[in-house]
Amino acid sequence: MTDRPATIAEEAAPRAPLTRERIVIAGLYVMNTEGLEAVTMRRLGRRLGVEAMSLYHHVQDKDDLLTAMSEQILREMDVPQDPGGDPLEQLRVLSQSFRRVLLAYPEGVKLFTASRAPFRSPEALRPIDRTLAVLQRTGLSDQDVVNAYCLFVGYTLGFVTNEVSGFLSSEAQTRKAATTEDVLAAMSEAFPSLARFLPSMADRDPEANFAFGLEVILGGIAERVARSDG
């Protein structure tokens, strides 16, 4: 798993004046160490050494806090600075960066689902805007830009969900292979494809697997643009 961002380590620094940023970082720390359900105003107040009501001078409510935590995660993405670079390569970098920050916050996907308020932070909106701009530069229609954006976000969120849950981990697949080996040996004629590919599924590389999915998506975009140009 990717190392946690520096902001999480810095959260444990000596007490400083209460700010919105400190509350957000404390929220991310509690989420990473105790789970998203543990992120309550009362819990954060104890963490920060203040009464829970003091937090409301800096965050409106729980929804505002969760959205601010989501925005902090997006701020930590690596956003390509060169607007004239290869759009497909920039899409690859953006998707990989989104996966990296989500892995740094194992319950980040759950957080994005739970936060309700719209994003307002310029730093959080920047990676979204850049992704849409890069997709537009590929030559896709406006509607396909939106479709492709949702595809990239959905693919990354779904992949990371499986990744942090361990569902697609090599260890989990190895256990499944071990428990079904005898069954497959006896039923290989009935399930020849499963018998053939299950060992490879147990030996998969998440990095290579994610890159493969990206290449399929990027290839589909390039083909769609080529067809529209033709």
Side-chain angles (χ1 to χ4, degrees):
M1 182 173 293
T2 305
D3 292 339
R4 291 170 182 167
T7 50
I8 294 300
E10 293 165 1
E11 196 275 338
R15 183 181 297 186
L18 188 63
T19 63
R20 182 179 176 88
E21 182 181 11
R22 282 197 69 217
I23 296 170
V24 169
I25 292 174
L28 290 171
Y29 181 88
V30 171
M31 182 183 75
N32 263 13
T33 56
E34 303 176 39
L36 183 60
E37 292 77 9
V39 180
T40 65
M41 295 303 189
R42 183 174 299 177
R43 175 67 186 88
L44 294 185
R46 290 200 306 271
R47 175 79 194 173
L48 294 166
V50 300
E51 294 294 329
M53 290 303 297
S54 300
L55 305 180
Y56 290 100
H57 294 294
H58 304 277
V59 294
Q60 296 177 6
D61 50 27
K62 180 72 172 291
D63 281 346
D64 185 33
L65 171 62
L66 295 180
T67 298
M69 290 165 59
S70 299
E71 289 182 325
Q72 177 60 37
I73 292 177
L74 290 177
R75 284 191 190 99
E76 295 170 11
M77 284 183 60
D78 296 322
V79 179
Q81 298 301 312
D82 180 9
D86 177 10
L88 296 183
E89 178 58 30
Q90 291 195 354
L91 288 170
R92 186 181 292 106
V93 169
L94 285 162
S95 295
Q96 291 171 337
S97 179
F98 189 31
R99 172 174 172 260
R100 176 186 60 78
V101 296
L102 287 174
L103 286 176
Y105 299 94
E107 297 211 342
V109 175
K110 189 185 297 185
L111 171 64
F112 276 97
T113 303
S115 59
R116 306 292 184 186
F119 293 150
R120 293 187 175 87
S121 164
E123 294 85 359
L125 292 171
R126 186 168 293 111
I128 300 173
D129 180 78
R130 178 55 58 87
T131 302
L132 291 168
V134 171
L135 282 166
Q136 187 177 24
R137 287 202 297 108
T138 65
L140 290 172
S141 68
D142 286 359
Q143 184 58 57
D144 280 348
V145 165
V146 174
N147 292 337
Y149 174 80
C150 293
L151 176 61
F152 274 105
V153 172
Y155 169 66
T156 307
L157 290 174
F159 191 95
V160 172
T161 297
N162 284 328
E163 200 167 3
V164 300
S165 71
F167 180 73
L168 293 179
S169 69
S170 296
E171 180 182 356
Q173 296 301 327
T174 298
R175 288 198 305 270
K176 292 175 185 177
T179 57
T180 58
E181 186 175 353
D182 293 340
V183 176
L184 290 176
M187 305 179 67
S188 58
E189 291 187 6
F191 303 105
S193 296
L194 190 55
R196 175 178 177 180
F197 291 109
L198 190 57
S200 297
M201 292 171 65
D203 194 33
R204 55 181 293 279
D205 174 11
E207 296 287 341
N209 199 182
F210 184 76
F212 173 82
L214 277 182
E215 292 307 315
V216 171
I217 295 173
L218 293 172
I221 290 176
E223 182 180 349
R224 189 171 185 84
V225 171
R227 286 204 309 268
S228 64
D229 290 343

